[in-house]
PDB file of all heavy atoms in Angstrom:
ATOM      1  N   TYR A  42     -55.417  34.471 109.785  1.00 97.00           N
ATOM      2  CA  TYR A  42     -56.698  35.280 109.597  1.00 97.00           C
ATOM      3  C   TYR A  42     -56.977  36.105 110.775  1.00 97.00           C
ATOM      4  O   TYR A  42     -56.506  35.828 111.941  1.00 97.00           O
ATOM      5  CB  TYR A  42     -57.885  34.225 109.393  1.00 97.00           C
ATOM      6  CG  TYR A  42     -57.599  33.337 108.244  1.00 97.00           C
ATOM      7  CD1 TYR A  42     -57.136  32.032 108.289  1.00 97.00           C
ATOM      8  CD2 TYR A  42     -57.964  33.758 106.929  1.00 97.00           C
ATOM      9  CE1 TYR A  42     -56.801  31.278 107.221  1.00 97.00           C
ATOM     10  CE2 TYR A  42     -57.710  32.927 105.801  1.00 97.00           C
ATOM     11  CZ  TYR A  42     -57.158  31.712 106.023  1.00 97.00           C
ATOM     12  OH  TYR A  42     -56.877  30.916 104.951  1.00 97.00           O
ATOM     13  N   PRO A  43     -57.826  37.101 110.530  1.00 97.00           N
ATOM     14  CA  PRO A  43     -58.137  37.988 111.785  1.00 97.00           C
ATOM     15  C   PRO A  43     -58.818  37.256 112.902  1.00 97.00           C
ATOM     16  O   PRO A  43     -59.667  36.462 112.517  1.00 97.00           O
ATOM     17  CB  PRO A  43     -59.093  39.029 111.169  1.00 97.00           C
ATOM     18  CG  PRO A  43     -58.818  39.016 109.675  1.00 97.00           C
ATOM     19  CD  PRO A  43     -58.416  37.649 109.313  1.00 97.00           C
ATOM     20  N   ASP A  44     -58.535  37.540 114.008  1.00 97.00           N
ATOM     21  CA  ASP A  44     -59.113  36.834 115.224  1.00 97.00           C
ATOM     22  C   ASP A  44     -60.669  37.066 115.152  1.00 97.00           C
ATOM     23  O   ASP A  44     -61.439  36.251 115.647  1.00 97.00           O
ATOM     24  CB  ASP A  44     -58.591  37.380 116.507  1.00 97.00           C
ATOM     25  CG  ASP A  44     -57.197  36.987 116.842  1.00 97.00           C
ATOM     26  OD1 ASP A  44     -56.644  36.078 116.134  1.00 97.00           O
ATOM     27  OD2 ASP A  44     -56.591  37.677 117.702  1.00 97.00           O
ATOM     28  N   GLU A  45     -61.143  38.256 114.721  1.00 97.00           N
ATOM     29  CA  GLU A  45     -62.508  38.474 114.628  1.00 97.00           C
ATOM     30  C   GLU A  45     -63.244  37.462 113.729  1.00 97.00           C
ATOM     31  O   GLU A  45     -64.500  37.154 114.062  1.00 97.00           O
ATOM     32  CB  GLU A  45     -62.734  39.875 114.030  1.00 97.00           C
ATOM     33  CG  GLU A  45     -62.228  40.999 114.876  1.00 97.00           C
ATOM     34  CD  GLU A  45     -60.758  41.178 114.825  1.00 97.00           C
ATOM     35  OE1 GLU A  45     -60.109  40.754 113.822  1.00 97.00           O
ATOM     36  OE2 GLU A  45     -60.220  41.851 115.781  1.00 97.00           O
ATOM     37  N   GLU A  46     -62.646  36.879 112.753  1.00 97.00           N
ATOM     38  CA  GLU A  46     -63.391  35.868 111.985  1.00 97.00           C
ATOM     39  C   GLU A  46     -63.552  34.540 112.732  1.00 97.00           C
ATOM     40  O   GLU A  46     -64.659  34.056 112.648  1.00 97.00           O
ATOM     41  CB  GLU A  46     -62.551  35.606 110.745  1.00 97.00           C
ATOM     42  CG  GLU A  46     -62.548  36.704 109.701  1.00 97.00           C
ATOM     43  CD  GLU A  46     -61.901  36.443 108.439  1.00 97.00           C
ATOM     44  OE1 GLU A  46     -61.654  35.358 108.115  1.00 97.00           O
ATOM     45  OE2 GLU A  46     -61.640  37.468 107.610  1.00 97.00           O
ATOM     46  N   MET A  47     -62.542  34.236 113.551  1.00 97.00           N
ATOM     47  CA  MET A  47     -62.797  33.009 114.376  1.00 97.00           C
ATOM     48  C   MET A  47     -63.809  33.202 115.389  1.00 97.00           C
ATOM     49  O   MET A  47     -64.767  32.347 115.645  1.00 97.00           O
ATOM     50  CB  MET A  47     -61.446  32.567 114.931  1.00 97.00           C
ATOM     51  CG  MET A  47     -61.611  31.281 115.788  1.00 97.00           C
ATOM     52  SD  MET A  47     -61.961  29.947 114.672  1.00 97.00           S
ATOM     53  CE  MET A  47     -62.455  28.726 115.808  1.00 97.00           C
ATOM     54  N   GLU A  48     -63.817  34.508 116.001  1.00 97.00           N
ATOM     55  CA  GLU A  48     -64.920  34.875 116.963  1.00 97.00           C
ATOM     56  C   GLU A  48     -66.284  34.683 116.330  1.00 97.00           C
ATOM     57  O   GLU A  48     -67.271  34.308 116.851  1.00 97.00           O
ATOM     58  CB  GLU A  48     -64.626  36.248 117.504  1.00 97.00           C
ATOM     59  CG  GLU A  48     -63.404  36.263 118.383  1.00 97.00           C
ATOM     60  CD  GLU A  48     -63.137  37.722 118.864  1.00 97.00           C
ATOM     61  OE1 GLU A  48     -63.967  38.620 118.724  1.00 97.00           O
ATOM     62  OE2 GLU A  48     -61.999  37.976 119.275  1.00 97.00           O
ATOM     63  N   ALA A  49     -66.372  35.254 115.109  1.00 97.00           N
ATOM     64  CA  ALA A  49     -67.652  35.317 114.380  1.00 97.00           C
ATOM     65  C   ALA A  49     -68.183  33.823 114.080  1.00 97.00           C
ATOM     66  O   ALA A  49     -69.340  33.481 114.210  1.00 97.00           O
ATOM     67  CB  ALA A  49     -67.609  36.048 113.075  1.00 97.00           C
ATOM     68  N   LEU A  50     -67.177  32.917 113.779  1.00 97.00           N
ATOM     69  CA  LEU A  50     -67.462  31.586 113.475  1.00 97.00           C
ATOM     70  C   LEU A  50     -67.949  30.857 114.728  1.00 97.00           C
ATOM     71  O   LEU A  50     -68.918  30.111 114.702  1.00 97.00           O
ATOM     72  CB  LEU A  50     -66.293  30.778 112.924  1.00 97.00           C
ATOM     73  CG  LEU A  50     -65.871  31.172 111.541  1.00 97.00           C
ATOM     74  CD1 LEU A  50     -64.512  30.651 111.155  1.00 97.00           C
ATOM     75  CD2 LEU A  50     -66.926  30.673 110.465  1.00 97.00           C
ATOM     76  N   LEU A  51     -67.299  31.090 115.890  1.00 96.00           N
ATOM     77  CA  LEU A  51     -67.671  30.493 117.137  1.00 96.00           C
ATOM     78  C   LEU A  51     -69.137  31.055 117.556  1.00 96.00           C
ATOM     79  O   LEU A  51     -69.919  30.328 118.001  1.00 96.00           O
ATOM     80  CB  LEU A  51     -66.659  30.808 118.233  1.00 96.00           C
ATOM     81  CG  LEU A  51     -65.407  30.103 118.103  1.00 96.00           C
ATOM     82  CD1 LEU A  51     -64.266  30.714 118.957  1.00 96.00           C
ATOM     83  CD2 LEU A  51     -65.481  28.656 118.280  1.00 96.00           C
ATOM     84  N   ASN A  52     -69.252  32.416 117.417  1.00 96.00           N
ATOM     85  CA  ASN A  52     -70.605  32.899 117.756  1.00 96.00           C
ATOM     86  C   ASN A  52     -71.692  32.318 116.907  1.00 96.00           C
ATOM     87  O   ASN A  52     -72.816  32.037 117.428  1.00 96.00           O
ATOM     88  CB  ASN A  52     -70.607  34.360 117.617  1.00 96.00           C
ATOM     89  CG  ASN A  52     -69.839  35.099 118.747  1.00 96.00           C
ATOM     90  OD1 ASN A  52     -69.718  34.529 119.901  1.00 96.00           O
ATOM     91  ND2 ASN A  52     -69.286  36.222 118.562  1.00 96.00           N
ATOM     92  N   ALA A  53     -71.494  32.192 115.610  1.00 96.00           N
ATOM     93  CA  ALA A  53     -72.541  31.621 114.700  1.00 96.00           C
ATOM     94  C   ALA A  53     -72.823  30.198 115.119  1.00 96.00           C
ATOM     95  O   ALA A  53     -73.965  29.816 115.104  1.00 96.00           O
ATOM     96  CB  ALA A  53     -72.096  31.784 113.332  1.00 96.00           C
ATOM     97  N   ALA A  54     -71.825  29.497 115.422  1.00 94.00           N
ATOM     98  CA  ALA A  54     -72.056  28.042 115.912  1.00 94.00           C
ATOM     99  C   ALA A  54     -72.858  27.967 117.158  1.00 94.00           C
ATOM    100  O   ALA A  54     -73.680  27.113 117.358  1.00 94.00           O
ATOM    101  CB  ALA A  54     -70.759  27.298 115.946  1.00 94.00           C
ATOM    102  N   GLU A  55     -72.592  28.884 118.077  1.00 91.00           N
ATOM    103  CA  GLU A  55     -73.259  28.894 119.354  1.00 91.00           C
ATOM    104  C   GLU A  55     -74.607  29.466 119.222  1.00 91.00           C
ATOM    105  O   GLU A  55     -75.505  28.825 120.000  1.00 91.00           O
ATOM    106  CB  GLU A  55     -72.363  29.839 120.285  1.00 91.00           C
ATOM    107  CG  GLU A  55     -73.024  29.945 121.682  1.00 91.00           C
ATOM    108  CD  GLU A  55     -72.317  30.901 122.528  1.00 91.00           C
ATOM    109  OE1 GLU A  55     -71.648  31.863 122.026  1.00 91.00           O
ATOM    110  OE2 GLU A  55     -72.338  30.748 123.761  1.00 91.00           O
TER     111      GLU A  55
END
Side-chain angles (χ1 to χ4, degrees):
Y42 301 96
D44 291 345
E45 294 79 16
E46 290 185 14
M47 186 64 197
E48 291 174 18
L50 292 167
L51 290 166
N52 286 332
E55 178 183 29

